[in-house]
């Protein structure tokens, strides 16, 4: 396929860029007193990915506030997350000015996470294009498909751990979509839901490979060890809920046509925005 869409997990890039420099107290405050370290790093990550993957189309996906339908299902979802640092807060809106200057659509839907927007667009675009998802979040691996690859950011710039569906199956022994059921059982400490307490990744993987699906496991609890059976029976409601929390939605009510996502930036417009933010060297990457 000649069309290649890069779906950018905006928050993942912004947070990674911010913390990689904030740890050294480098906030890159500009002459107006605005910290720009997250924006600068995000932009460099984005431009490096464009150079690496040569996409014909790009969309940036964003979280739109912290409350989503998952919080309605489970109020403690991500309840362990602290408030964003003071220096990062003004960068949430300003970073989108960079993507706008590059004529990259910014997509986000209140009540859903950026992952759900990525899942929906990937499902739609893969009918007509190859899709690469740029993120630092391994949860996205559940979206791997014949035409959908994932590039996980590694330390530094231009370093990626790139997955296709075959590599995932070879490493994990399960299909990408089964990652949802894996997380339903083992839970997710980052997102703060428990799954089946006492069942870790190793046991969950073993059960999935043996039985084929979570439903098959739940329909055959008698075949589990007495200890495993007790754990599943105790957390039977939570494992069903955790499956809903773990699944990235691919049916969000949003649209962004390939024509809108066509990447054809006007260099002068981009350089003007870089100059406004006082990014001296990034213009060389455009």
């Amino acid at each position: 396929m000649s069309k290649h869409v890069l779906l950018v997990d905006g928050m993942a890039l912004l947070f990674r860029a911010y913390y990689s420099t904030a740890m050294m107290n480098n906030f890159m405050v500009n002459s107006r007193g605005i910290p720009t370290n997250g924006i600068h790093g995000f932009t460099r990550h984005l431009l490096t990915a464009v150079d690496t993957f040569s996409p014909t189309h790009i969309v940036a996906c964003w979280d739109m506030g912290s409350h989503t339908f998952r919080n309605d299902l489970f109020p403690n979802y991500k309840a362990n997350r602290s408030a964003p640092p003071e220096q990062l807060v003004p960068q949430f809106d300003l970073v989108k000015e960079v993507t706008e200057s590059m004529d990259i659509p910014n997509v986000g839907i209140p009540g859903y996470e950026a992952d759900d927007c990525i899942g929906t667009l990937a499902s739609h675009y893969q009918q007509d294009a190859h899709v690469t998802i740029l993120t630092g979040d391994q949860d996205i691996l559940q979206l791997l498909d014949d035409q959908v690859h994932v590039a996980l950011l590694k330390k530094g710039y231009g370093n990626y751990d790139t997955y296709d569906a075959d590599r995932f199956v070879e490493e994990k022994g399960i299909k990408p979509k089964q990652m949802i059921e894996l997380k339903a059982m083992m839970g997710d400490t980052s997102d703060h839901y428990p799954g089946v307490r006492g069942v870790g990744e190793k046991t969950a993987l073993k059960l999935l490979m043996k039985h084929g699906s979570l439903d098959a496991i739940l329909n055959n609890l008698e075949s589990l060890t007495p200890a495993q059976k007790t754990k599943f029976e105790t957390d039977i409601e939570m494992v069903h809920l955790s499956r809903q929390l773990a699944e990235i939605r691919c049916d969000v009510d949003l649209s962004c046509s390939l024509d809108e996502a066509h990447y054809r930036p006007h260099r002068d417009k981009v350089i003007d925005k870089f100059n406004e933010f006082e990014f001296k060297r990034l213009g060389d990457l455009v």
Side-chain angles (χ1 to χ4, degrees), residues 166-280:
D166 289 341
R167 179 188 169 190
F168 182 91
V169 172
E170 185 178 328
E171 287 188 5
K172 295 287 189 181
I174 59 174
K175 296 177 181 178
K177 283 290 184 189
Q178 289 181 291
M179 190 174 174
I180 300 165
E181 301 182 332
L182 180 68
K183 289 191 64 182
M185 287 185 279
M186 61 182 279
D188 188 316
T189 54
S190 175
D191 289 340
H192 204 57
Y193 59 87
V196 180
R197 286 166 295 182
V199 173
E201 182 176 11
K202 187 176 179 180
T203 299
L205 268 174
K206 189 182 297 184
L207 290 173
L208 265 184
M209 286 188 275
K210 179 180 178 181
H211 295 272
S213 72
L214 176 57
D215 287 335
I217 295 168
L218 298 178
N219 290 331
N220 293 278
L221 290 180
E222 299 299 327
S223 68
L224 304 184
T225 67
Q228 290 171 347
K229 180 174 179 288
T230 299
K231 290 171 184 175
F232 273 91
E233 287 176 338
T234 301
D235 281 331
I236 193 70
E237 291 184 9
M238 182 51 73
V239 75
H240 286 297
L241 177 58
S242 295
R243 176 159 51 182
Q244 288 180 273
L245 298 174
E247 183 174 8
I248 294 173
R249 294 281 298 272
C250 295
D251 59 354
V252 176
D253 185 17
L254 69 87
S255 63
C256 179
S257 69
L258 278 173
D259 188 53
E260 291 175 82
H262 194 181
Y263 183 61
R264 42 195 170 192
H266 299 280
R267 192 173 188 278
D268 290 346
K269 182 179 173 183
V270 178
I271 296 300
D272 285 345
K273 180 56 64 175
F274 286 2
N275 288 338
E276 181 184 330
F277 282 124
E278 302 172 17
F279 296 160
K280 297 176 181 177

Side-chain angles (χ1 to χ4, degrees), residues 137-151:
D137 185 359
Q138 294 206 18
D139 291 349
I140 290 277
L141 294 174
Q142 66 181 261
L143 300 176
L144 288 166
D145 210 337
D146 289 344
Q147 293 297 331
V148 180
H149 292 183
V150 173

Side-chain angles (χ1 to χ4, degrees), residues 31-60:
S31 61
R32 290 176 291 157
I34 299 171
T36 59
N37 62 317
I39 304 169
H40 184 276
F42 167 92
T43 306
R44 189 173 168 192
H45 275 305
L46 177 58
L47 292 173
T48 303
V50 169
D51 183 58
T52 301
F53 299 107
S54 302
T56 55
H57 300 70
I58 308 178
V59 181

Side-chain angles (χ1 to χ4, degrees), residues 5-9 57-61 104-107 121 125 256 261:
V5 184
L6 183 68
L7 292 178
V8 178
D9 184 346
H57 300 70
I58 308 178
V59 181
C61 296
I104 295 171
N106 288 309
V107 172
L121 292 176
Y125 291 148
C256 179

